[in-house]
Amino acid sequence: MRGDASRALDALRNAPTMFFVVFAASSKTSTIPGITAAGPTPEATLYTPTLDIEYLVTGRPLTMDVIPVTPEGIPTPAVVTRASLQLVNDARIVVVDAGVYREPLIPHVKLPSRRVGGRIDVEPALPPGTASKLYEEAKLLAHMLVGKAGNATTLVVGETIPAGTTTAMCIMEGLGFNAAGRVSSSMPGNPHNLKQQVLRAALERSGLRRGDNPFKVIEEVGDPLHVSVAGFVAGAVEKGATVILAGGTQMASVLAILSRLGIDTSRVAVATTRWLIDDPSSDLPGLIAEIAPDTPLIAVDISFHDAPYKGLRAYEEGYVKEGVGMGGAMLAALVRGGRAPREVVEAAYSEYARLVGNDSKARG
Amino acid sequence: MRGDASRALDALRNAPTMFFVVFAASSKTSTIPGITAAGPTPEATLYTPTLDIEYLVTGRPLTMDVIPVTPEGIPTPAVVTRASLQLVNDARIVVVDAGVYREPLIPHVKLPSRRVGGRIDVEPALPPGTASKLYEEAKLLAHMLVGKAGNATTLVVGETIPAGTTTAMCIMEGLGFNAAGRVSSSMPGNPHNLKQQVLRAALERSGLRRGDNPFKVIEEVGDPLHVSVAGFVAGAVEKGATVILAGGTQMASVLAILSRLGIDTSRVAVATTRWLIDDPSSDLPGLIAEIAPDTPLIAVDISFHDAPYKGLRAYEEGYVKEGVGMGGAMLAALVRGGRAPREVVEAAYSEYARLVGNDSKARG
């Protein structure tokens, strides 16, 4: 734990109302081969956000009869998120479409200006004017959910967007922060070189200059998701709510957007996993220290080393690490659900077992 | 007040979390000339739900620069709803698209199976299988919003669907209740004859028989909205939440659907306006007594007789009466907001004044 997290933890424990909000979007940047493991093939990564939120809410993917997995067959972190949230009695779940490739078959909030992000090495992420619209729409959504009941509300906000660490890095770089080589990856071998090729291509294509408008930066080298999360946070803190950004280095890009827009983030904390903090190939503490040094960073100390399933033991080897709000969901189970760490671990194992059924390949 | 409303009122006053949820949908039945006043022309009624929820949330319509009005220029009840909700600090607002004609330009929940309802005198309301899907999707939405925190949650549920009293009547008749001649209208001259012509044509076209499956009844002679509200109520009460159906005779059709599906409605109440109860051309108490006699009915005793605007004084002459959850919103201002009736009245006058600006035609 870094920074003074006590206020955020108190709010997570005691606020009368807690929402777990997941923003979902696709970016064609995820189809660049080798850039992300959030799907079995590059094209399949476009479906991952839809499948993630369908599974999170209903316990099974609906659009296709497959759980999103890495090429190695390691399942989405939504498994851990879902198991954890079931340990919190009053977690109210909202999923937000900021631009998914395929409409999810569950009730979901649409942002009117949602759209799939472009492949930023060869095209802009969003048409002009879209980033500020997404920001304002997500801000309005926060106002609707929070009302004037700010300090009665805690929002835990996660995300699902394959290649999100790449676009997050490009957003941070475009906004003038040093992010190259510091973002995480869903793979043990973080493809920093490939990500930085994308960054160089995107910067060259767009001709961005230091000090360009933050929304222009996002429209050129970003994606629809991070700016939407930033707008949501801005709307929530404006009403006095506490926000826990549940994610890894992508959430640093949300802080970067808020910082450049001059939004007070004193009611914002970041919650993540130990796997992400232990990742030698990324530097979330350093990014936060550079971007928003007063922001508390909370890492949940959970281990899957004794998991009876190799898909979960892989988390100890550097696969997955974060996503779909996994760290924040585990934190909610511990703090708001009042559960012991072992209960969270067992719940994840049980959920995984339910999911893979009697598939013997999963064991061993 | 009829029935034991004390539990519903206690829940509205004290539940830690209160949502005001508005379901919006269109039905081509509203384009039958003379059947509804919820729009300046028959075709314009298709846009009314979208404009209603845009205005409710933002204070102005976005899709078109017009406030939904009757042919006489009397504005949507959303004016009163918005004014009332601003007197409740912690009203959390959710709008649900169950099948609007034009996508609203505000964040809104989509039900995946949403669609505009057919004109029931000449075509089915919905394709086969749609009604049960909408029901299940709305039920899931309730589960997402309520979590397991049932008795900590009160849901006030309104609607906006032009010609909704006609389709509600047809649903009730199709389900075997006596509703012809008993539903309300947004006009002082309730066009019962026209509504019953539509009913006869719809029944003849569809060949429905007594005892047909409730979802089949809705798909033939109903609309996408009422079955969605019913599913939402079913999901909410299953989790132990209290539901206040905020509306007029349309809400009797929701109770009728729930009754035929065998859903326990002991945690459901109906809240409406005095204008609706005083309406000699409709019979909400009688409909509830026939369909779900234990359901408390609460009418808010508010008068606009001293309004400085003829558009609001018209409410005393039998125009509008209900809609967009107006009665439930006023009740929330009184009970949860702790406001005096006069404050609610003045808030409505102020909101109307803001809306019409210096339009002198509105005064007098």
Side-chain angles (χ1 to χ4, degrees), chain A residues 1 5-15 18 84 87-88 90 154 156 244 271 298 300 327-341 344:
Chain A
M1 203 179 293
S6 60
R7 192 166 73 172
L9 292 170
D10 281 350
L12 180 59
R13 188 178 293 111
N14 299 323
M18 185 274 250
S84 300
L87 302 178
V88 186
D90 63 348
T154 297
V156 179
I244 296 176
I298 307 157
V300 175
M330 291 194 291
L331 185 69
L334 297 170
V335 170
R336 191 173 181 90
R339 305 306 180 108
V344 176

Side-chain angles (χ1 to χ4, degrees), chain B residues 6 16 18 20 30 50 65 79 89 99 115-116 138 148 156 162 173 207 238 269 276 296 311 333 350:
Chain B
S6 61
M18 186 274 249
F20 191 83
S30 73
T50 299
D65 188 20
V79 173
N89 277 337
R115 58 184 297 144
V116 173
K148 297 171 194 161
V156 179
E173 286 282 334
E238 188 175 297
L276 191 122
S350 298

